[in-house]
CSV table of all heavy atoms in Angstrom, one decimal:
chain,number,residue,atom,x,y,z
A,10,THR,N,-10.9,2.8,-222.8
A,10,THR,CA,-10.8,4.1,-222.2
A,10,THR,C,-9.4,4.6,-222.4
A,10,THR,O,-8.4,3.8,-222.5
A,10,THR,CB,-11.3,4.2,-220.8
A,10,THR,OG1,-10.2,3.6,-220.0
A,10,THR,CG2,-12.6,3.5,-220.5
A,11,GLY,N,-9.2,5.9,-222.3
A,11,GLY,CA,-7.9,6.5,-222.6
A,11,GLY,C,-7.5,6.2,-224.0
A,11,GLY,O,-6.3,6.0,-224.4
A,12,ALA,N,-8.5,6.3,-224.9
A,12,ALA,CA,-8.4,5.8,-226.3
A,12,ALA,C,-7.5,6.7,-227.1
A,12,ALA,O,-7.0,6.3,-228.2
A,12,ALA,CB,-9.7,5.7,-226.9
A,13,ALA,N,-7.2,8.0,-226.6
A,13,ALA,CA,-6.4,8.9,-227.4
A,13,ALA,C,-4.9,8.7,-226.9
A,13,ALA,O,-4.0,9.4,-227.4
A,13,ALA,CB,-6.8,10.3,-227.2
A,14,GLY,N,-4.7,7.9,-225.9
A,14,GLY,CA,-3.3,7.8,-225.3
A,14,GLY,C,-2.4,6.8,-226.1
A,14,GLY,O,-2.8,6.2,-227.1
A,15,GLN,N,-1.2,6.6,-225.6
A,15,GLN,CA,-0.2,5.9,-226.3
A,15,GLN,C,-0.4,4.4,-226.3
A,15,GLN,O,-0.2,3.7,-227.2
A,15,GLN,CB,1.2,6.3,-226.0
A,15,GLN,CG,1.6,6.3,-224.5
A,15,GLN,CD,3.0,6.0,-224.3
A,15,GLN,OE1,3.8,5.8,-225.3
A,15,GLN,NE2,3.4,5.8,-223.1
A,16,ILE,N,-0.9,3.8,-225.2
A,16,ILE,CA,-1.2,2.4,-225.2
A,16,ILE,C,-2.3,2.0,-226.2
A,16,ILE,O,-2.2,1.1,-227.0
A,16,ILE,CB,-1.6,1.9,-223.7
A,16,ILE,CG1,-0.4,2.0,-222.8
A,16,ILE,CG2,-2.1,0.4,-223.8
A,16,ILE,CD1,-0.7,1.5,-221.4
A,17,ALA,N,-3.3,2.8,-226.1
A,17,ALA,CA,-4.5,2.6,-227.0
A,17,ALA,C,-4.0,2.6,-228.5
A,17,ALA,O,-4.5,1.8,-229.3
A,17,ALA,CB,-5.6,3.6,-226.8
A,41,LEU,N,-13.4,5.9,-225.5
A,41,LEU,CA,-13.7,7.0,-224.5
A,41,LEU,C,-12.4,7.8,-224.1
A,41,LEU,O,-11.4,7.1,-223.8
A,41,LEU,CB,-14.3,6.4,-223.2
A,41,LEU,CG,-14.5,7.4,-222.0
A,41,LEU,CD1,-15.7,8.3,-222.3
A,41,LEU,CD2,-14.7,6.6,-220.7
A,42,ASP,N,-12.5,9.1,-224.2
A,42,ASP,CA,-11.4,9.9,-223.6
A,42,ASP,C,-12.0,11.2,-223.1
A,42,ASP,O,-13.3,11.3,-223.1
A,42,ASP,CB,-10.3,10.1,-224.6
A,42,ASP,CG,-8.9,10.3,-223.9
A,42,ASP,OD1,-8.7,11.2,-223.1
A,42,ASP,OD2,-8.0,9.4,-224.2
A,43,ILE,N,-11.2,12.1,-222.5
A,43,ILE,CA,-11.7,13.3,-221.9
A,43,ILE,C,-11.9,14.3,-223.0
A,43,ILE,O,-11.3,14.3,-224.1
A,43,ILE,CB,-10.8,13.8,-220.8
A,43,ILE,CG1,-9.4,13.9,-221.3
A,43,ILE,CG2,-10.9,12.9,-219.6
A,43,ILE,CD1,-8.4,14.5,-220.2
A,46,MET,N,-9.3,15.7,-225.5
A,46,MET,CA,-8.6,14.8,-226.4
A,46,MET,C,-9.5,14.4,-227.6
A,46,MET,O,-9.1,13.6,-228.4
A,46,MET,CB,-8.2,13.5,-225.6
A,46,MET,CG,-7.3,13.7,-224.5
A,46,MET,SD,-5.8,14.6,-225.0
A,46,MET,CE,-4.9,13.3,-225.8
A,74,GLU,N,-19.6,8.9,-220.2
A,74,GLU,CA,-19.6,7.6,-219.7
A,74,GLU,C,-20.9,6.8,-219.9
A,74,GLU,O,-20.9,5.6,-220.1
A,74,GLU,CB,-19.3,7.6,-218.1
A,74,GLU,CG,-17.9,7.9,-217.9
A,74,GLU,CD,-17.5,8.0,-216.4
A,74,GLU,OE1,-18.4,8.0,-215.6
A,74,GLU,OE2,-16.3,8.1,-216.2
A,86,LEU,N,-10.0,-0.7,-219.3
A,86,LEU,CA,-9.9,0.6,-218.7
A,86,LEU,C,-8.4,1.0,-218.6
A,86,LEU,O,-7.7,0.7,-217.7
A,86,LEU,CB,-10.6,0.6,-217.3
A,86,LEU,CG,-12.0,0.0,-217.3
A,86,LEU,CD1,-12.6,0.1,-215.9
A,86,LEU,CD2,-12.9,0.7,-218.3
A,87,VAL,N,-8.0,1.8,-219.6
A,87,VAL,CA,-6.6,2.2,-219.7
A,87,VAL,C,-6.5,3.6,-219.2
A,87,VAL,O,-5.5,4.0,-218.6
A,87,VAL,CB,-6.1,2.1,-221.2
A,87,VAL,CG1,-4.7,2.5,-221.3
A,87,VAL,CG2,-6.3,0.7,-221.7
A,88,GLY,N,-7.5,4.4,-219.5
A,88,GLY,CA,-7.4,5.9,-219.2
A,88,GLY,C,-7.3,6.2,-217.7
A,88,GLY,O,-8.0,5.7,-216.9
A,89,SER,N,-6.3,7.0,-217.4
A,89,SER,CA,-6.2,7.4,-216.0
A,89,SER,C,-5.2,8.6,-216.0
A,89,SER,O,-4.6,8.9,-217.0
A,89,SER,CB,-5.6,6.3,-215.1
A,89,SER,OG,-4.4,5.9,-215.6
A,90,MET,N,-5.2,9.3,-214.9
A,90,MET,CA,-4.3,10.4,-214.8
A,90,MET,C,-2.8,10.0,-214.6
A,90,MET,O,-2.6,9.1,-213.7
A,90,MET,CB,-4.7,11.3,-213.6
A,90,MET,CG,-3.9,12.6,-213.5
A,90,MET,SD,-4.5,13.6,-212.2
A,90,MET,CE,-5.9,14.3,-213.0
A,91,PRO,N,-2.0,10.4,-215.5
A,91,PRO,CA,-0.6,10.0,-215.3
A,91,PRO,C,0.1,10.6,-214.1
A,91,PRO,O,-0.3,11.7,-213.7
A,91,PRO,CB,0.1,10.5,-216.6
A,91,PRO,CG,-0.7,11.6,-217.1
A,91,PRO,CD,-2.1,11.4,-216.6
A,105,ASN,N,-7.0,9.1,-209.3
A,105,ASN,CA,-7.5,8.0,-210.1
A,105,ASN,C,-8.7,7.2,-209.4
A,105,ASN,O,-9.5,6.6,-210.1
A,105,ASN,CB,-6.4,7.1,-210.5
A,105,ASN,CG,-5.6,7.7,-211.6
A,105,ASN,OD1,-6.1,8.4,-212.5
A,105,ASN,ND2,-4.3,7.5,-211.6
A,108,ILE,N,-11.8,8.5,-210.7
A,108,ILE,CA,-12.1,8.0,-212.1
A,108,ILE,C,-12.7,6.6,-212.0
A,108,ILE,O,-13.8,6.3,-212.7
A,108,ILE,CB,-10.9,8.0,-213.0
A,108,ILE,CG1,-10.4,9.4,-213.2
A,108,ILE,CG2,-11.1,7.3,-214.3
A,108,ILE,CD1,-9.1,9.6,-214.0
A,112,GLN,N,-16.4,5.2,-213.1
A,112,GLN,CA,-16.5,4.1,-214.1
A,112,GLN,C,-17.1,2.8,-213.6
A,112,GLN,O,-17.8,2.1,-214.3
A,112,GLN,CB,-15.1,3.9,-214.8
A,112,GLN,CG,-14.7,5.2,-215.5
A,112,GLN,CD,-13.4,5.0,-216.4
A,112,GLN,OE1,-12.8,4.0,-216.4
A,112,GLN,NE2,-13.1,6.1,-217.2
A,128,VAL,N,-8.6,-3.8,-216.0
A,128,VAL,CA,-8.0,-2.5,-215.6
A,128,VAL,C,-6.5,-2.5,-215.8
A,128,VAL,O,-5.8,-3.3,-215.4
A,128,VAL,CB,-8.4,-2.2,-214.1
A,128,VAL,CG1,-7.7,-0.9,-213.7
A,128,VAL,CG2,-9.9,-2.2,-213.9
A,129,VAL,N,-6.1,-1.4,-216.5
A,129,VAL,CA,-4.7,-1.2,-216.9
A,129,VAL,C,-4.1,0.0,-216.2
A,129,VAL,O,-3.0,0.0,-215.8
A,129,VAL,CB,-4.6,-1.1,-218.4
A,129,VAL,CG1,-3.1,-0.9,-218.9
A,129,VAL,CG2,-5.1,-2.4,-219.1
A,130,GLY,N,-5.0,1.1,-216.2
A,130,GLY,CA,-4.5,2.4,-215.6
A,130,GLY,C,-4.0,2.2,-214.2
A,130,GLY,O,-4.6,1.5,-213.4
A,131,ASN,N,-2.9,2.8,-213.9
A,131,ASN,CA,-2.3,2.7,-212.6
A,131,ASN,C,-2.8,3.6,-211.5
A,131,ASN,O,-3.3,4.7,-211.9
A,131,ASN,CB,-0.8,2.9,-212.7
A,131,ASN,CG,-0.1,1.7,-213.2
A,131,ASN,OD1,-0.4,0.6,-212.8
A,131,ASN,ND2,0.9,1.8,-214.2
A,132,PRO,N,-2.7,3.2,-210.3
A,132,PRO,CA,-2.3,1.9,-209.7
A,132,PRO,C,-3.4,0.9,-210.0
A,132,PRO,O,-4.5,0.9,-209.4
A,132,PRO,CB,-2.2,2.2,-208.2
A,132,PRO,CG,-3.1,3.4,-207.9
A,132,PRO,CD,-3.2,4.2,-209.2
A,133,ALA,N,-3.0,-0.1,-211.0
A,133,ALA,CA,-4.0,-0.9,-211.6
A,133,ALA,C,-4.8,-1.8,-210.6
A,133,ALA,O,-6.0,-1.9,-210.7
A,133,ALA,CB,-3.3,-1.8,-212.6
A,136,ASN,N,-7.1,0.5,-208.5
A,136,ASN,CA,-8.2,1.0,-209.3
A,136,ASN,C,-9.2,0.0,-209.6
A,136,ASN,O,-10.4,0.2,-209.7
A,136,ASN,CB,-7.6,1.5,-210.6
A,136,ASN,CG,-6.8,2.8,-210.5
A,136,ASN,OD1,-6.9,3.5,-209.5
A,136,ASN,ND2,-5.9,3.1,-211.4
A,154,CYS,N,-7.0,-7.2,-213.3
A,154,CYS,CA,-6.1,-6.1,-213.6
A,154,CYS,C,-4.8,-6.7,-214.3
A,154,CYS,O,-4.5,-7.9,-214.1
A,154,CYS,CB,-5.7,-5.2,-212.4
A,154,CYS,SG,-4.3,-5.8,-211.5
A,155,LEU,N,-4.2,-5.9,-215.1
A,155,LEU,CA,-3.1,-6.3,-215.9
A,155,LEU,C,-1.8,-6.5,-215.1
A,155,LEU,O,-1.2,-5.5,-214.7
A,155,LEU,CB,-2.8,-5.3,-217.1
A,155,LEU,CG,-1.9,-5.8,-218.1
A,155,LEU,CD1,-2.5,-6.9,-219.0
A,155,LEU,CD2,-1.3,-4.7,-219.0
A,156,THR,N,-1.3,-7.8,-215.0
A,156,THR,CA,0.1,-8.0,-214.6
A,156,THR,C,0.8,-8.9,-215.6
A,156,THR,O,1.8,-9.4,-215.4
A,156,THR,CB,0.2,-8.7,-213.2
A,156,THR,OG1,-0.6,-9.9,-213.2
A,156,THR,CG2,-0.3,-7.7,-212.1
A,157,ARG,N,0.1,-9.0,-216.7
A,157,ARG,CA,0.7,-9.9,-217.8
A,157,ARG,C,1.9,-9.3,-218.4
A,157,ARG,O,2.8,-10.0,-218.9
A,157,ARG,CB,-0.4,-10.1,-218.9
A,157,ARG,CG,0.0,-11.0,-220.0
A,157,ARG,CD,0.2,-12.5,-219.4
A,157,ARG,NE,0.4,-13.4,-220.5
A,157,ARG,CZ,-0.7,-14.2,-221.0
A,157,ARG,NH1,-1.9,-14.1,-220.4
A,157,ARG,NH2,-0.5,-15.0,-221.9
A,158,LEU,N,2.0,-8.0,-218.4
A,158,LEU,CA,3.3,-7.3,-218.9
A,158,LEU,C,4.4,-7.8,-218.0
A,158,LEU,O,5.5,-8.1,-218.5
A,158,LEU,CB,3.1,-5.8,-218.9
A,158,LEU,CG,4.4,-5.0,-219.3
A,158,LEU,CD1,5.0,-5.5,-220.6
A,158,LEU,CD2,4.0,-3.5,-219.4
A,159,ASP,N,4.2,-7.8,-216.7
A,159,ASP,CA,5.3,-8.2,-215.7
A,159,ASP,C,5.6,-9.7,-216.0
A,159,ASP,O,6.7,-10.1,-216.0
A,159,ASP,CB,4.8,-8.0,-214.3
A,159,ASP,CG,4.3,-6.6,-214.1
A,159,ASP,OD1,5.0,-5.6,-214.2
A,159,ASP,OD2,3.0,-6.4,-213.9
A,162,ARG,N,7.6,-10.0,-219.0
A,162,ARG,CA,9.0,-9.5,-218.8
A,162,ARG,C,9.8,-10.6,-218.1
A,162,ARG,O,10.9,-10.8,-218.5
A,162,ARG,CB,8.9,-8.3,-217.9
A,162,ARG,CG,8.5,-7.0,-218.6
A,162,ARG,CD,8.1,-5.9,-217.6
A,162,ARG,NE,7.8,-4.6,-218.3
A,162,ARG,CZ,7.2,-3.6,-217.7
A,162,ARG,NH1,6.8,-3.7,-216.4
A,162,ARG,NH2,7.0,-2.5,-218.3
A,187,HIS,N,1.0,-4.6,-209.1
A,187,HIS,CA,1.7,-4.2,-210.3
A,187,HIS,C,2.5,-2.9,-209.9
A,187,HIS,O,2.1,-1.8,-210.1
A,187,HIS,CB,0.7,-3.9,-211.5
A,187,HIS,CG,1.4,-3.2,-212.6
A,187,HIS,ND1,2.4,-3.8,-213.4
A,187,HIS,CD2,1.4,-1.9,-213.0
A,187,HIS,CE1,2.8,-2.9,-214.3
A,187,HIS,NE2,2.2,-1.7,-214.1
A,241,SER,N,6.2,5.9,-220.9
A,241,SER,CA,6.1,4.6,-220.3
A,241,SER,C,5.8,3.5,-221.3
A,241,SER,O,5.4,3.8,-222.5
A,241,SER,CB,5.0,4.6,-219.1
A,241,SER,OG,3.8,4.7,-219.7
A,242,SER,N,6.0,2.3,-220.9
A,242,SER,CA,5.8,1.1,-221.8
A,242,SER,C,4.4,1.2,-222.5
A,242,SER,O,3.4,1.3,-221.8
A,242,SER,CB,5.8,-0.2,-221.0
A,242,SER,OG,6.9,-0.2,-220.2
A,243,ALA,N,4.4,1.1,-223.8
A,243,ALA,CA,3.1,1.1,-224.5
A,243,ALA,C,3.0,0.0,-225.5
A,243,ALA,O,2.0,-0.8,-225.4
A,243,ALA,CB,3.0,2.5,-225.3
A,246,ALA,N,2.9,-3.1,-223.4
A,246,ALA,CA,1.6,-3.1,-222.6
A,246,ALA,C,0.5,-3.5,-223.4
A,246,ALA,O,-0.4,-4.3,-223.0
A,246,ALA,CB,1.4,-1.7,-222.0
A,249,ALA,N,0.6,-7.2,-224.0
A,249,ALA,CA,0.2,-7.9,-222.8
A,249,ALA,C,-1.3,-7.9,-222.6
A,249,ALA,O,-1.9,-8.9,-222.2
A,249,ALA,CB,0.9,-7.3,-221.6
B,401,LIG,P1,-1.4,8.3,-221.9
B,401,LIG,O1,-1.2,9.4,-221.0
B,401,LIG,O2,-0.7,8.2,-223.2
B,401,LIG,O3,-2.9,8.0,-222.1
B,401,LIG,C1,-3.9,8.1,-221.2
B,401,LIG,C2,-5.2,8.6,-221.7
B,401,LIG,O4,-6.2,8.5,-220.8
B,401,LIG,C3,-5.1,10.0,-222.2
B,401,LIG,O5,-5.5,10.2,-223.5
B,401,LIG,C4,-6.0,10.7,-221.2
B,401,LIG,O6,-6.7,11.9,-221.7
B,401,LIG,C5,-7.0,9.6,-220.9
B,401,LIG,N1,-7.8,9.8,-219.7
B,401,LIG,C6,-7.5,10.4,-218.5
B,401,LIG,N2,-8.6,10.5,-217.7
B,401,LIG,C7,-9.6,9.8,-218.3
B,401,LIG,C8,-10.9,9.5,-218.0
B,401,LIG,N3,-11.4,9.8,-216.8
B,401,LIG,N4,-11.7,8.8,-218.9
B,401,LIG,C9,-11.1,8.4,-220.1
B,401,LIG,N5,-9.9,8.7,-220.5
B,401,LIG,C10,-9.1,9.4,-219.6
B,401,LIG,O7,-1.0,7.0,-221.0
B,401,LIG,P2,-0.6,5.5,-221.5
B,401,LIG,O8,0.8,5.4,-221.7
B,401,LIG,O9,-1.6,5.1,-222.5
B,401,LIG,O10,-0.9,4.7,-220.1
B,401,LIG,C11,-2.2,4.6,-219.6
B,401,LIG,C12,-2.2,4.0,-218.2
B,401,LIG,O11,-1.7,2.7,-218.2
B,401,LIG,C13,-1.3,4.8,-217.2
B,401,LIG,O12,-2.0,4.8,-215.9
B,401,LIG,C14,-0.1,3.8,-217.1
B,401,LIG,O13,0.6,4.0,-215.8
B,401,LIG,C15,-0.8,2.5,-217.2
B,401,LIG,N6,0.1,1.4,-217.5
B,401,LIG,C16,-0.2,0.2,-216.9
B,401,LIG,C17,0.5,-1.0,-217.2
B,401,LIG,C18,0.2,-2.3,-216.5
B,401,LIG,O14,1.0,-3.2,-216.8
B,401,LIG,N7,-0.8,-2.4,-215.7
B,401,LIG,C19,1.6,-0.9,-218.2
B,401,LIG,C20,1.8,0.4,-218.8
B,401,LIG,C21,1.1,1.5,-218.4
Side-chain angles (χ1 to χ4, degrees):
T10 73
Q15 51 148 5
I16 292 180
L41 175 73
D42 212 297
I43 52 177
M46 299 307 283
E74 288 180 349
L86 308 185
V87 182
S89 59
M90 184 174 284
N105 285 324
I108 295 177
Q112 295 188 351
V128 176
V129 178
N131 279 319
N136 289 341
C154 88
L155 189 75
T156 55
R157 186 61 169 265
L158 176 53
D159 311 292
R162 285 167 173 164
H187 170 69
S241 75
S242 311

